[in-house]
């Protein structure tokens, strides 16, 4: 079966690489892909079509007899790519536009959480900055998190330490319109404390297959300081969640969420990603995403043994209940993101990336590409903020960390940097 993967990050490289291992996979196309998907083997090739160009993607899928399309990023999902493909009778993995709102609108997400009585931070939603500031004035002692309602590439969330910061965040969203229409509505949310964990589940809207837990590292610098990023590294499994808590999360978070969506006549088929805070009382939902996390997807897929094509097809067909239990490599996978100088702010592109072959020779590693491109002379160059996801396996967290960083040390380009403490959160457990 020919497969089309949509997106160009480390997540999409991992998806294409894993799908290529299926005995039923034919040619795998990645639109638009990166240098990693262009060079990973003869089965995988890039197609120069943007992830939001639905008419061209649909035309390509028809002309190349694509039996399954898999969508990586949130932007095409929230813009309705699944509905567009389905109306052309094309098979596609991912939630439709209505279901993807769980990521595309934080107000919608909170409404579903309320309907399902799912634990989450208390919140208030507003249409104008004036109303939000008025509310702050009346609640001076509560520490708030300010959020833009819509998609803002992880940048529309402000964890504020005082009232002045909260007012500034509200003005950036509503007055300066830094996030455009994503700021048409605004949320003030109770600030929670605890460890953060990512728990992803694959669901056809009836059966829920919870994946092994992972931990992301969203802050730019070691020790979780600095600005928020798309994620500077992740590892799985994490000792901060035991099986009992994972079952609790299934029962009290995923099940009532899917139920509340079904009650709203929304059937979610795809990956439901819960960003959770393990508070003193219980795990609470910080956010939902409607897709695999990047970089969480990379360590998860390095450990998943089950055929991913079978999982995706069963999700589309609504037959996940008939799939055998998922099988995992028991080892730990640690993924370190190597980034361009300046990321998550502005950065330069186009620097030759050296040492990739040497890194690939480190046993038990896989180098997934993100922001990379190939020059005409064949040189691989940096082409984004997050450039590589260097992922290693080991019998313990520290061994997996050592493997990943051994490979990282082989790679260099002008301005390359990474966090040095990915997976250290596990060490205190
Ligand atoms: P979100 O995109 O909603 O997950 O928010 C991005 C990041 O902001 C999260 O990963 C948390 O670190 C932080 N955050 C979001 N909501 C809260 C909250 N209610 N309390 C504390 N931190 C939060
Ligand atoms: N790693 C965070 C995200 O994918 O949203």
């Amino acid at each position: 079966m020919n497969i089309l993967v949509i997106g160009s990050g480390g997540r999409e490289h991992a998806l294409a690489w894993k799908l290529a291992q299926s005995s039923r996979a034919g040619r795998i196309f990645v639109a638009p892909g990166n240098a990693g998907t262009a060079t990973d083997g003869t089965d995988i090739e890039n197609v120069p079509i943007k992830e939001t160009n639905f008419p061209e993607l649909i035309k390509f899928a028809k002309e190349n007899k694509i039996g399954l399309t898999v969508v990586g990023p949130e932007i095409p999902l929230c813009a309705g790519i699944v509905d567009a493909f389905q109306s052309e009778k094309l098979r596609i993995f991912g939630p439709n536009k209505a279901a993807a709102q769980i990521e595309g609108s934080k107000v919608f997400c909170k409404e579903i959480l309320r309907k399902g009585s799912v634990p989450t931070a208390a919140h208030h939603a507003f249409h104008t900055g004036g109303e939000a500031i008025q509310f702050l004035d009346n609640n001076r002692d509560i520490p708030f998190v300010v959020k833009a309602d819509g998609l803002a590439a992880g940048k529309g969330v402000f964890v504020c330490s005082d009232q002045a910061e909260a007012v500034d965040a509200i003005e950036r969203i509503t007055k300066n319109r830094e996030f455009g229409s994503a700021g048409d509505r605004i949320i003030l949310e109770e600030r929670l404390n605890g460890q953060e964990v990512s728990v992803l589940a694959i669901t056809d809207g009836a059966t829920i297959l919870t994946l092994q837990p992972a931990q992301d590292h969203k802050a730019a610098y070691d020790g979780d300081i600095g600005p928020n990023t798309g994620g500077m590294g992740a590892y799985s499994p994490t000792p901060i969640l035991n099986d009992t808590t994972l079952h609790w999360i299934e029962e009290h978070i995923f099940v009532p969420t899917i139920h509340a969506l079904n009650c709203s006549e929304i059937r979610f088929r795809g990956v439901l990603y819960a960003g959770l805070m393990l508070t003193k009382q219980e795990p609470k939902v910080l956010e939902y995403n409607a897709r695999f996390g990047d970089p969480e997807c990379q360590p998860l897929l390095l450990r998943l043994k089950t055929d991913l094509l079978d999982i995706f097809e069963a999700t589309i067909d609504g037959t996940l209940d008939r799939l055998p239990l998922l099988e995992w490599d028991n080892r730990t996978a640690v993924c370190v993101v190597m980034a361009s100088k300046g990321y998550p702010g502005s950065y330069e592109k186009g620097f030759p990336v050296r040492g990739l072959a040497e890194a690939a020779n480190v046993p038990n590693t896989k180098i997934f590409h993100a922001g990379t491109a190939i020059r005409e002379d064949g040189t691989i160059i940096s082409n984004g903020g997050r450039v590589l996801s260097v992922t290693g396996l080991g019998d313990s967290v520290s061994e997996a960390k050592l493997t990943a960083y051994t490979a990282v040390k082989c790679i260099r380009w002008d301005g390359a940097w990474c966090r040095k403490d990915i997976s250290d959160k596990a060490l205190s457990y």
Side-chain angles (χ1 to χ4, degrees), residues 54 78 87 219 359 389:
F54 299 172
C78 292
S87 68
S389 299

Side-chain angles (χ1 to χ4, degrees), residues 94-400:
N96 62 17
K97 189 174 181 176
Q101 284 182 93
I102 202 150
E103 173 164 6
S105 164
K106 291 186 189 294
V107 174
F108 173 85
C109 176
K110 284 289 194 186
E111 185 53 27
I112 292 295
L113 294 172
R114 189 195 57 75
K115 268 193 187 169
S117 303
V118 178
T120 185
H123 83 287
H124 296 269
F126 304 93
H127 280 98
T128 66
E131 287 165 350
I133 291 171
Q134 176 76 53
F135 183 86
L136 275 184
D137 274 342
N138 296 336
N139 296 275
R140 286 187 165 266
D141 301 328
I142 307 175
F144 278 114
V145 180
V146 179
K147 299 185 175 182
D149 174 54
L151 291 182
K155 291 180 189 144
V157 174
F158 300 86
V159 181
C160 306
S161 32
D162 56 35
Q163 175 120 3
E165 275 186 27
V167 170
D168 184 56
I170 292 169
E171 291 192 333
R172 287 178 64 180
I173 296 171
T174 57
K175 218 178 186 177
N176 307 354
R177 306 282 295 166
E178 282 184 31
F179 310 100
S181 61
D184 283 351
R185 281 186 293 177
I186 189 165
I187 281 186
L188 294 186
E189 196 174 283
E190 162 204 13
R191 184 171 168 178
L192 302 176
N193 291 305
Q195 282 266 3
E196 281 186 55
V197 64
S198 308
V199 183
L200 285 69
I202 297 187
T203 178
D204 55 14
T207 302
I208 297 165
L209 288 188
T210 305
L211 308 186
Q212 296 238 317
Q215 215 173 7
D216 190 11
H217 296 67
K218 283 196 174 135
Y221 310 128
D222 287 15
D224 279 344
I225 56 171
N228 224 9
T229 70
M232 295 304 297
Y235 70 101
S236 167
T238 167
I240 72 163
L241 263 197
N242 57 29
D243 283 351
T244 315
T245 315
L246 198 57
H247 288 141
W248 190 95
I249 289 167
E250 268 173 2
E251 195 180 328
H252 294 91
I253 291 184
F254 284 129
V255 170
T257 300
I258 294 299
H259 183 65
L261 284 164
N262 283 333
C263 289
S264 308
E265 290 180 13
I266 293 175
R267 182 146 182 158
F268 192 104
R269 293 176 197 255
V271 179
L272 185 60
Y273 160 149
L276 303 170
M277 182 83 90
L278 305 182
T279 70
K280 279 202 182 107
Q281 298 90 36
E282 59 195 356
K284 292 188 181 178
V285 175
L286 291 178
E287 63 162 351
Y288 269 126
N289 294 321
R291 51 171 173 84
F292 278 105
D294 187 344
E296 291 96 325
C297 182
Q298 291 83 311
L300 283 170
L301 293 190
L302 200 59
R303 296 187 53 232
L304 183 70
K305 287 184 170 172
T306 308
D307 187 324
L308 193 59
L309 184 50
D310 289 347
I311 301 175
F312 286 170
E313 290 219 286
T315 308
I316 294 173
D317 295 335
T319 55
L320 276 179
D321 57 334
R322 288 185 232 151
L323 208 69
L325 285 181
L326 297 183
E327 284 186 60
W328 296 92
D329 187 325
N330 281 329
R331 290 177 293 173
T332 296
V334 171
C335 168
V336 178
V337 169
M338 296 183 73
S340 296
K341 183 177 167 193
Y343 176 80
S346 57
Y347 51 82
E348 285 179 50
K349 304 178 188 177
F351 298 107
V353 179
R354 316 266 183 219
L356 286 166
E358 214 181 324
N361 280 335
V362 175
N364 298 314
T365 55
K366 175 69 193 169
I367 321 293
F368 295 114
H369 288 226
T372 61
I374 309 185
R375 271 205 311 232
E376 269 177 23
D377 65 2
T379 310
I380 293 182
I381 53 169
S382 63
N383 192 41
R386 293 192 292 173
V387 177
L388 297 170
S389 299
V390 181
T391 313
L393 282 165
D395 287 330
S396 61
V397 177
S398 47
E399 204 181 298

